[in-house]
């Protein structure tokens, strides 16, 4: 049996927040009711990594975090406190970095490297000149320009000859050393050692050799040759002088193009091809993590690769140092279920979660041997509870009239996914379409189809797929995935009828494994390989098209622009149905509201959700603010900046993230400026990461400064602050409700760093700022003295965030006192009647005779006024929860509750967790 956490706390470990800092946080976490520390990736990553997903050595803990010794100390400290450790692991990719010794070996030796099978490289992608090369899009300008600017340099060091391009250090294949050394053959030292070295280089098999004996000889000799040359270079002045002159010769003379010929020839002789980064989208021949060329996919489906990349993970799990695993980007794997079964088969079975984005009513595959997802599905559903679905049409109307954009979310997502395919994944889609065309050539119904038609059909169906990816096992496609594929094809036909019906029909048959009767076993394997490759690609296309583009250009209500979000609103009944399903099938899945990847924190979303309660007022505010601020815009090419879509994005961002303390405003404005740069480039309308438009970004910065400048002439700022104060108060009340739902509903509640107090973070890197330790350690000292009598003080001083910490502390400790009730207990929706019945969410958790009831308000602008919490009979009037009979104690305040009126249940605090 896996150890199921009571609650988890996620920390982002960096060189500035290493294992030792995490240990200092444990007293606070334990006092708050956290049972398990949830750590970002801990393995050796690229130097200075701020996230840990760019792993270069998965066999040991990162020295920048404290190394194995620091990890062991953290694990021991947790164990002594009875706490567990949940590790975020990265099985899909590694860093394509010179600090990754496996990758460097592949760059040096190509297909003959002992690690060649570790990485997902298409050695013969179909457009190269019959060469087995790795395409490396690392240059900032075209190759010839970079070369003749002397930005690429030959270098000699402890690793032998290398090619350097700024921070990138690339190996030189020792079998090509003769190209360098022969250039000054008449100057060779007449020593036996040097001659022996040259003889070894001459005997070294070429990396292209397919003979196993030659490959083994090469692997054996290469380290010796590099070591010998480096030793001679350091200790023999004649060798030093020779090599230094050669390096100068090869690095050429600026202004003399011919002087770079030898360096060019040497580079062309390597197992890699250096290219301009902008060509990556057309010519990639290795699987990337999303569109990040610096992260390369690994073949973890290979048992040897699994063993090598999981040696430390498996050891830590077996030793009890790691009690749980969160699998990053599970949809990038060749066969997710097979991989998860390997982890599930460990003797000391870990608590096992996957990072899996479920869209709308999509369900997690029921046969995966895991506890559930890392919680984006819960995030989406619990956020939607606080959005009034009846206001969405009005909000859409306001958005359309203000911006002139008539699209809905689905239209925007379709257009952006097509853009992403054309501009970021053109090479991958081209390779897939070549593969599809080869399949078609062998099929009587496909042989006459145009390759271009097949490519267009593949693009359209991929853009119309409404889930991140499909799956198939044992040669068959689950019914749900067959429906997703048929739906995508039907939608593609509707959106682009210009593609031939025959191409759509053929592609659908391939994706649904409709093998021809006479297809050979080899042919079937070709079909399956195509489908697997497509399945691995649809997820990054959806992530980049929806998460990283659509959510920055479709700005009706920004709180709905979140990973896992529900874009159509939900009813209270749907919320209850989600929780009932979760309790039956995934009771130990994670429940999260803020993560290292969310577009904005839960507290920011809670504020913005208030706009759904006041669509008419928001319409007036938006048009009024735009009118007042019209003269503060700069004009670029006759276009006022920001445009209306960017303007509504900016106003919502300010409303959601405006700080509580006036002293924080200057740093907040700086943070928003950084955020604007990222948001503009992710939107890809006027600026992008490929083609940054700094003039446009500066214009928005100047607009921001102008509208926030204090002075009699600025009508916007005082009115904005008045509106923002109202939004902030009701947003805080929403946050309290959301936190209790997370703690009491089915699932394991997770808390991202800094979120146990108010956290008004935006997307990364803003949400990865260091944990503020002093306040938390002070709370750890004081919190035992907090009791129900402090409630009034906490509510009066709600801006300092202690009210949120108090709620979490009391509710989590109630959960810790009876964990079985909250993990195994049934979920029972409770009816609410009376005046404000739509403004209350109530449910019970029951196990045998034990019961807990959660009662939380929503849509509180209908119930309370600014500064007055939604408590007491005056606010709730004749609103009643149909509760089971019994004597109840509120775990938050310690009060005894005997009635079922909401005004009595919430007589002193905005939410209640009643225990019988």
């Amino acid at each position: 049996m896996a150890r199921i956490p009571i609650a988890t706390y996620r920390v982002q470990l960096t060189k500035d927040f290493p294992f030792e800092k995490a240990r200092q946080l444990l007293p606070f976490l334990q006092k708050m009711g956290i049972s398990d520390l949830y750590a970002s990736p801990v393995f050796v990553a690229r130097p200075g990594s701020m996230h840990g997903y760019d792993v270069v050595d998965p066999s040991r803990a990162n020295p920048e975090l404290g190394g194995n010794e620091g990890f062991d100390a953290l694990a021991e400290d947790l164990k002594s406190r009875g706490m567990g450790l949940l590790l975020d692991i990265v099985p899909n990719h590694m860093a394509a970095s010179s600090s990754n010794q496996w990758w460097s070996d592949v760059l040096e030796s190509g297909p003959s490297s002992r690690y060649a099978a570790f990485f997902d490289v298409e050695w013969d992608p179909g457009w190269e000149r019959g060469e087995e090369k790795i395409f490396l899009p690392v240059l900032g300008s075209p190759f010839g320009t970079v070369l003749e600017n002397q930005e690429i340099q030959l270098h000699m060091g402890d690793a032998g000859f290398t090619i350097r391009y700024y921070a990138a250090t690339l190996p030189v294949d020792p079998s090509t050393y003769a190209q360098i050394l022969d250039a000054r053959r008449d100057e060779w030292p007449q020593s036996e050692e040097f001659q022996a070295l040259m003889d070894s280089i001459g005997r070294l098999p070429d990396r292209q050799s397919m003979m196993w004996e030659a490959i083994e000889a090469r692997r054996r000799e290469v380290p010796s040759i590099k070591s010998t040359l480096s030793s001679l270079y350091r200790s023999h002045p004649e060798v030093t002088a020779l090599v230094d002159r050669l390096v100068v010769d090869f690095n050429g003379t600026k202004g003399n193009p011919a002087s770079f010929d030898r360096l060019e020839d040497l580079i062309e002789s390597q197992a890699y091809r250096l290219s301009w980064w902008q060509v990556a989208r057309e010519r990639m021949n290795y699987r990337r993590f999303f569109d990040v060329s610096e992260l390369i996919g690994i073949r973890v489906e290979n048992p040897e690769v699994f063993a090598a990349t999981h040696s430390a993970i498996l050891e830590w799990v077996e030793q009890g140092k790691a009690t749980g695993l969160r699998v990053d980007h599970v949809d990038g794997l060749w066969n997710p279920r097979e991989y998860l079964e390997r982890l599930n088969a460990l003797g000391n079975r870990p608590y096992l979660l996957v990072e899996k984005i479920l869209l709308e009513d999509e369900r997690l595959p029921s046969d995966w041997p895991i506890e559930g997802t890392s919680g984006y599905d819960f995030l989406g559903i619990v956020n939607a509870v606080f959005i009034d679905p009846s206001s969405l049409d009005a909000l859409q109307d306001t958005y359309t009239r203000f911006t002139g954009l008539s699209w809905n979310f689905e239209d925007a997502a379709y257009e952006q996914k097509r853009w992403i395919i054309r501009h970021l994944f053109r090479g991958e889609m081209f390779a897939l379409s070549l593969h599809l065309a080869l399949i078609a050539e062998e099929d009587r119904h496909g042989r006459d189809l145009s390759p271009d038609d097949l490519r267009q059909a593949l693009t359209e169906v991929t853009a119309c797929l409404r889930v991140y990816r499909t799956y198939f096992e044992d040669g068959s496609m689950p019914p749900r995935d067959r429906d997703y594929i048929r739906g995508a094809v039907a939608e593609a036909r509707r959106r682009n009828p210009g593609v031939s019906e025959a191409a759509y029909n053929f592609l659908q048959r391939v994706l649904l494994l409709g093998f021809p009767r006479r297809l050979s076993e080899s042919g079937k394997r070709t079909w399956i390989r195509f489908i697997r490759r497509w399945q691995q690609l649809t997820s990054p296309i959806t992530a980049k098209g929806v998460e990283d583009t659509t959510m920055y250009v479709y700005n009706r209500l920004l709180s709905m622009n979140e990973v896992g979000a529900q874009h159509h609103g939900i009813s209270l009944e749907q919320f209850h149905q989600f929780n009932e399903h979760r309790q039956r099938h995934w009771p130990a899945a994670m429940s999260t509201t803020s993560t290292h990847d969310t577009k904005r924190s839960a507290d920011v979303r809670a504020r913005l959700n208030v706009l759904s309660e006041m669509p008419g007022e928001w319409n007036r505010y938006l048009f009024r603010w735009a009118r007042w601020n019209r003269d503060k815009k700069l004009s670029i090419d006759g276009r006022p900046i920001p445009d209306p879509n960017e303007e509504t994005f900016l106003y919502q961002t300010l409303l959601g993230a405006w700080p509580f303390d006036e002293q924080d405003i200057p740093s907040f404005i700086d943070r928003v400026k950084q955020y604007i740069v990222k948001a503009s480039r992710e939107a890809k309308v006027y600026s992008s990461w490929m083609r940054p438009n700094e003039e446009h970004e500066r214009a928005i910065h100047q607009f921001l400064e102008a509208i926030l400048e204090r002075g009699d002439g600025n009508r916007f700022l005082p009115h904005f602050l008045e509106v923002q104060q109202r939004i902030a108060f009701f947003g805080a009340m929403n946050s309290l409700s959301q936190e209790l739902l997370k703690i009491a509903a089915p699932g394991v509640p997770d808390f991202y760093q800094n979120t146990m107090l108010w956290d008004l973070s935006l997307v990364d890197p803003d949400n990865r700022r260091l944990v503020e330790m002093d306040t938390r350690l002070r709370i750890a000292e004081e919190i035992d003295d907090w009791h129900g009598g402090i409630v009034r003080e906490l509510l009066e001083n709600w801006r300092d965030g202690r009210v949120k910490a108090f709620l979490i502390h009391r509710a989590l400790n109630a959960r810790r006192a009876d964990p079985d009730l909250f993990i195994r207990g049934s979920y029972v929706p409770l009816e609410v009647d009376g005046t404000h019945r739509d403004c209350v969410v109530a449910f019970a958790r029951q196990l045998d005779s034990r019961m807990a009831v959660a009662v939380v308000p929503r849509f509180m602008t209908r119930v309370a006024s600014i500064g007055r919490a939604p408590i007491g009979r005056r606010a709730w009037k004749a609103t009643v929860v149909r509760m089971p009979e019994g004597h109840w104690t509120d775990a938050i305040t310690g009060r005894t509750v005997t009635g079922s009126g909401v005004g009595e249940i919430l007589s002193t605090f905005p939410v209640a967790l009643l225990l019988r």
Side-chain angles (χ1 to χ4, degrees):
M1 276 292 291
R3 177 189 187 278
I4 305 301
I6 295 167
T8 60
Y9 184 92
R10 165 83 178 207
V11 290
Q12 291 296 114
L13 296 166
T14 67
K15 59 184 176 58
D16 298 318
F17 194 87
F19 296 132
E20 182 56 36
K21 284 278 191 181
R23 291 180 64 193
Q24 294 174 25
L25 198 59
L26 296 185
F28 166 73
L29 299 182
Q30 195 169 27
K31 285 281 185 69
M32 291 297 292
I34 296 295
S35 66
D36 290 57
L37 186 71
Y38 170 19
S40 62
V42 301
F43 295 107
V44 184
R46 277 191 295 198
S49 174
M50 297 304 290
H51 48 75
Y53 290 101
D54 44 0
V55 175
V56 299
D57 182 357
S59 68
R60 59 194 176 98
N62 194 340
E64 291 187 355
L65 305 181
N68 282 355
E69 184 177 340
F71 176 81
D72 288 346
L74 174 62
E76 185 59 36
D77 200 344
L78 286 163
K79 187 175 181 180
S80 70
R81 296 172 180 274
M83 299 176 72
L85 177 60
L86 175 61
L87 293 181
D88 192 347
I89 63 172
V90 193
N92 174 70
H93 58 268
M94 295 181 72
S97 163
S98 56
S99 53
N100 182 342
Q101 295 304 306
W102 296 352
W103 178 238
S104 293
D105 193 79
V106 175
L107 293 180
E108 182 176 85
S109 297
S112 64
S113 166
R114 69 180 72 251
Y115 302 109
F118 279 43
F119 298 100
D120 210 343
V121 178
E122 192 78 25
W123 288 102
D124 184 13
W127 57 73
E128 292 293 345
R129 302 184 294 259
E131 301 170 306
E132 292 189 320
K133 285 179 174 287
I134 296 170
F135 189 81
L136 286 186
V138 297
L139 305 181
S141 301
F143 175 77
T145 302
V146 170
L147 182 72
E148 293 180 16
N149 281 339
Q150 292 187 315
E151 296 171 56
I152 302 176
Q153 297 273 294
L154 179 65
H155 179 79
M156 177 65 200
D158 291 342
F161 285 114
T162 56
I163 301 293
R164 287 191 174 178
Y165 175 70
Y166 294 105
T169 299
L170 303 168
V172 172
D173 179 358
S175 69
T176 67
Y177 280 7
Q179 288 181 238
I180 305 171
L181 297 169
D182 279 351
R184 285 182 176 262
R185 191 180 184 91
D186 58 334
E187 298 180 25
W188 281 7
Q190 299 304 306
S191 70
E192 293 183 6
E193 293 168 293
F194 186 82
Q195 189 58 55
L197 170 67
M198 296 308 300
D199 290 343
S200 297
I201 293 173
R203 292 192 305 269
L204 187 66
D206 185 85
R207 66 172 184 273
Q208 302 289 348
S209 173
M210 300 301 293
M211 301 297 293
W212 180 248
E213 295 81 358
I215 292 174
E216 282 294 295
R218 178 185 168 85
R219 292 176 179 176
R220 186 171 57 250
E221 294 297 329
V222 160
S224 174
I225 290 173
K226 292 164 64 176
S227 175
T228 300
L229 176 59
S230 297
S231 177
L232 290 173
Y233 177 76
R234 289 192 305 270
S235 59
H236 287 58
E238 290 177 293
V239 177
T240 305
L242 170 66
V243 170
D244 286 349
R245 284 192 292 273
L246 285 166
V247 167
V248 170
D249 290 347
F250 268 72
N251 287 334
T253 302
K254 208 166 186 177
N256 180 6
S259 66
F260 297 96
D261 289 351
R262 284 183 291 190
L263 181 56
E264 179 180 10
D265 291 342
L266 178 67
I267 294 171
E268 288 298 308
S269 300
Q270 304 310 308
Y272 47 84
R273 180 175 178 184
L274 293 179
S275 295
W276 189 21
W277 69 270
Q278 290 207 20
V279 187
R281 58 189 184 272
E282 300 178 12
R283 303 292 296 276
M284 287 305 301
N285 69 327
Y286 63 81
R287 184 170 59 86
R288 301 172 288 172
F289 173 72
F290 292 4
D291 64 329
V292 184
S293 300
E294 293 80 15
L295 298 175
I296 181 170
I298 55 176
R299 290 178 168 145
V300 75
E301 65 272 13
N302 181 329
E304 181 186 3
V305 179
F306 179 88
T309 55
H310 287 65
S311 59
I313 295 170
L314 302 184
E315 179 182 336
W316 291 345
V317 169
E318 292 295 346
Q319 292 174 348
K321 294 177 181 177
T323 55
L325 302 174
R326 179 260 198 191
V327 179
D328 179 65
H329 190 42
V330 72
D331 277 345
L333 303 182
W334 181 261
N335 188 333
R337 191 186 73 171
E338 181 180 85
Y339 170 79
L340 296 169
E341 285 173 345
R342 284 180 178 172
L343 293 180
N344 190 60
L346 294 173
N348 192 13
R349 186 186 180 283
Y351 172 66
L352 191 55
L353 300 171
V354 295
E355 185 218 21
K356 166 68 182 169
I357 313 303
L358 301 170
L359 297 184
E360 299 293 341
D361 59 348
E362 182 187 5
R363 301 294 191 188
L364 190 64
S366 59
D367 57 350
W368 284 9
I370 57 176
E371 268 65 50
T373 72
S374 56
Y376 289 118
D377 47 344
F378 179 84
L379 181 155
I381 204 83
V382 78
N383 182 68
V385 165
F386 297 94
I387 296 172
D388 185 350
S390 67
S391 73
L392 294 181
D393 286 345
L395 290 172
Q396 179 68 44
D397 180 64
T398 294
Y399 177 62
T400 298
R401 288 190 298 108
F402 186 76
T403 64
L405 299 170
S406 58
W407 57 10
N408 58 29
F409 187 85
E410 288 75 16
D411 294 337
Y414 165 74
E415 292 296 341
Q416 302 314 316
K417 287 169 74 174
R418 290 179 78 245
W419 190 97
I420 289 296
I421 291 169
R422 289 196 307 272
H423 293 88
L424 299 186
F425 293 100
R426 187 185 302 174
E428 288 90 339
M429 191 59 72
F430 178 66
L432 267 180
S433 64
L434 287 178
H435 196 160
L436 181 62
L438 291 174
I439 291 173
E441 282 291 325
E442 301 299 319
D443 186 277
R444 67 176 63 163
H445 297 288
R447 58 186 294 176
D448 292 330
L449 293 174
S450 154
D452 186 60
D453 236 16
L454 289 172
R455 180 186 55 78
Q456 288 190 59
L458 186 61
T459 295
E460 291 296 324
V461 170
T462 302
C464 291
L465 187 69
R466 59 179 293 269
V467 293
Y468 274 65
R469 75 167 275 178
T470 57
Y471 309 92
F472 74 89
E473 305 291 343
D474 305 321
S476 64
M477 189 79 65
R480 63 175 186 277
D481 290 343
R482 299 178 75 86
D483 290 343
Y484 293 143
I485 290 170
R486 290 192 184 101
V489 174
E491 183 69 6
R493 285 192 180 104
R494 184 183 73 82
R495 289 189 179 273
N496 191 348
V499 178
S500 76
E501 189 73 11
Y504 281 135
N505 289 341
F506 179 73
L507 176 59
Q508 176 170 292
R509 185 158 62 85
V510 171
L511 294 176
L512 294 178
L513 296 170
F515 299 130
R517 179 175 53 83
R518 300 173 63 185
L519 189 65
S520 66
E521 288 302 315
S522 173
K524 289 179 181 179
R525 287 193 295 271
T526 299
W527 280 42
I528 289 172
R529 180 172 176 78
F530 167 78
I531 295 169
R532 293 274 197 202
R533 283 294 187 195
W534 179 70
Q535 289 175 329
Q536 285 182 295
L537 184 59
T538 59
S539 178
I541 286 173
T542 301
K544 294 303 296 182
V546 177
E547 295 174 35
D548 294 343
T549 309
T550 305
M551 290 184 184
Y552 290 93
V553 296
Y554 179 73
N555 301 323
R556 175 184 60 176
L557 181 64
L558 292 188
S559 56
M560 301 183 82
N561 289 3
E562 194 53 82
V563 182
Q566 302 284 323
H567 296 287
H568 301 286
I570 65 164
S571 65
L572 194 52
E573 182 182 11
Q574 288 173 300
F575 173 75
H576 289 313
Q577 288 172 349
F578 171 87
N579 284 315
E580 288 174 312
H581 178 271
R582 208 171 200 231
Q583 181 55 39
R584 286 194 304 271
H585 299 282
W586 308 103
M590 183 174 278
S591 300
T592 194
T593 47
S594 291
T595 78
H596 58 289
D597 279 335
T598 43
K599 304 303 176 190
R600 48 197 58 82
S601 70
D603 291 336
V604 173
R605 292 196 307 274
R607 284 182 175 183
L608 293 175
N609 287 340
V610 178
L611 295 178
S612 76
E613 302 175 45
M614 42 191 284
E617 291 168 85
W618 170 239
N619 177 77
R620 292 194 298 275
Y621 299 154
L622 187 58
F623 282 91
R624 182 183 304 167
W625 293 347
R627 187 172 66 253
W628 286 345
N629 292 330
R630 187 179 301 141
D631 62 350
K632 297 179 176 66
K633 295 184 178 185
L634 296 179
S635 180
I636 298 178
D637 298 329
R639 188 179 64 246
I641 303 300
D643 74 8
N645 200 28
E646 294 172 312
E647 193 171 2
T648 185
F649 183 93
L650 182 58
Y651 292 146
Q652 290 183 63
T653 297
L654 294 176
L655 284 172
W658 193 266
F660 287 103
D661 192 331
E662 191 168 332
Q663 293 181 349
D664 294 332
I665 292 176
S667 63
F668 168 70
I669 293 174
D670 288 339
R671 287 169 48 215
V672 173
K673 286 181 178 179
Q674 295 174 40
Y675 177 63
I676 284 169
V677 171
K678 175 159 186 170
S680 297
R681 296 180 184 181
E682 295 286 18
K684 306 171 186 68
V685 177
Y686 303 110
S687 187
S688 70
W689 297 109
M690 291 190 293
R691 293 184 177 84
N693 185 341
E694 294 181 0
E695 182 185 15
H696 182 91
E697 293 159 5
R698 283 194 299 270
I700 303 180
H701 289 174
Q702 292 179 44
F703 177 77
L704 174 69
E705 291 171 347
I707 66 174
L708 297 182
E709 184 177 1
R710 296 185 183 276
D712 293 339
N714 187 353
R715 301 173 67 188
F716 165 76
L717 184 59
H719 186 259
F720 165 81
L721 292 176
E722 180 183 332
V723 173
Q724 194 279 327
Q725 287 300 306
R726 184 183 178 204
I727 297 290
F729 174 75
F730 288 109
M733 297 301 106
N734 275 348
S735 289
L736 296 181
S737 291
Q738 185 170 244
E739 292 302 320
L740 185 57
L741 290 180
K742 178 170 70 175
I743 293 170
V748 173
D750 171 59
F751 298 84
Y752 183 59
Q753 62 182 31
N754 287 325
T755 62
M756 286 185 163
L757 298 171
W758 299 134
D759 177 59
L760 302 173
S761 294
L762 301 168
V763 75
D764 69 280
D766 192 62
N767 63 12
R768 299 184 187 184
R769 287 170 292 155
L770 291 178
V771 174
E772 198 284 300
M773 298 285 289
D774 292 343
T775 302
R776 283 148 184 83
L777 295 178
R778 186 171 65 251
I779 286 176
E781 294 176 357
E782 300 173 355
I783 205 162
D784 285 340
D785 297 327
W786 291 7
H787 49 76
I790 201 174
V791 164
R792 176 174 296 204
E793 177 196 339
L794 295 177
L795 287 175
E796 289 175 352
N797 297 281
W798 60 272
R799 291 176 180 82
D800 65 18
R802 289 182 302 149
V803 65
K804 184 179 179 184
F806 171 76
L807 165 65
I808 293 170
H809 169 252
R810 298 302 290 248
L812 280 187
N813 279 283
R815 185 181 175 103
R816 179 160 59 184
D818 193 352
D820 280 354
L821 172 61
F822 291 94
I823 288 295
R824 295 172 47 221
S826 60
Y827 179 90
V828 183
L830 298 180
E831 291 185 17
V832 181
D833 294 327
T835 312
H836 295 301
R837 60 182 178 275
D838 293 335
C839 300
V840 178
V841 182
F843 58 83
R845 304 297 307 281
Q846 183 169 11
L847 183 64
D848 302 325
S849 61
R850 289 128 60 201
M851 183 175 286
V853 169
V855 179
V856 306
R858 62 175 187 157
F859 307 156
M860 284 168 269
T861 57
R862 305 175 191 174
V863 177
S865 57
I866 184 170
R868 288 184 59 87
I871 56 178
R873 290 187 176 88
R874 181 179 175 184
W876 290 104
K877 299 183 172 60
T879 310
V880 176
V881 178
R882 298 301 180 193
M883 287 173 48
E885 293 183 0
H887 294 284
W888 301 89
T889 300
D890 182 7
I892 311 302
T893 64
R895 294 175 51 252
T896 298
V897 176
T898 56
S900 59
V902 175
E904 180 179 351
I905 297 170
L906 305 181
S907 64
T908 60
F909 199 73
V911 301
L913 179 62
L914 306 179
L915 305 177
R916 186 176 68 180

